[in-house]
Amino acid sequence: MTQQASRTAIVTGAARGIGAAVAKRLARDGFAVAVVDLDADACKPVVTEIESAGGRALAVGADVSDEQAVEAAVQRIAAELGAPTVLVNNAGIIRDNLLFKMSAGDWDAVMNVHLRGAFLMSRAAQKHMTEAGWGRIVNLSSTSALGNRGQANYSAAKAGLQGFTKTLAIELGKFGVTVNAIAPGFIETEMTAATAARVGVPFEDYKKGAAAQIPVRRVGRPEDIAHTVSFFVSEDAGFVSGQVIYVAGGPRA
């Protein structure tokens, strides 16, 4: 019985892609996992896979940008799985466009999910972490935080998450809570497939083009991010906090 086996993790945006891979990895590491996304039914295949492997999981439908929905979701998770002491803020959307074409609604939607969502989830979960004297928060940023054409909203949100991460690390460290961020590069997901479709390039060609620019000569997989999350939330990573690691197949600066 590992120490993780008595701990509960929340992963947002976990119905597919990076979030699903993270949820399954944390379950494999011994955590009970709340699989959170807009639609609880969309989370059920991930929950079923975790339970089939002998783990514990719960499908939770919640809009992370809705304050009341977040509070209710975290309370339910605490009641049904146990007090959450690990939070992975992965939920995200894209509304890409050049600045002069970007609507205020596109800007607000991205900010609400990425930044407001991470704020609300972290605020709700930290109560349980500080009471336990132990916690881990991992925020999903992006290499787009360094700037990316057509993503003024997404880039600003992901850069904001890095500042958010460093501030929470300062505030929560004395309670035994570490806060770190992962900035993925090109990861093969439905979101990157949607980007390829938006620019009118077949996804396989899009991936090949991206891989040619990456030092390790391949695009990333959701499991690459899940492995890094696994390290950040481990007991042995307790002296690592306020950091942003670029999981991008090469250096980013």
Side-chain angles (χ1 to χ4, degrees), residues 171-183:
E171 292 186 7
L172 298 177
K174 65 182 179 181
F175 300 105
V177 180
T178 68
V179 189
N180 292 287
I182 298 170

Side-chain angles (χ1 to χ4, degrees), residues 174-206:
K174 65 182 179 181
F175 300 105
V177 180
T178 68
V179 189
N180 292 287
I182 298 170
F186 190 110
I187 307 295
E188 185 176 354
T189 64
E190 290 180 17
M191 188 176 286
T192 49
T195 300
R198 179 178 61 82
V199 299
V201 178
F203 193 35
E204 288 303 314
D205 293 342
Y206 194 64

Side-chain angles (χ1 to χ4, degrees), residues 69-83:
V70 165
E71 290 292 337
V74 173
Q75 287 176 16
R76 180 189 169 199
I77 292 162
E80 296 189 32
L81 283 183

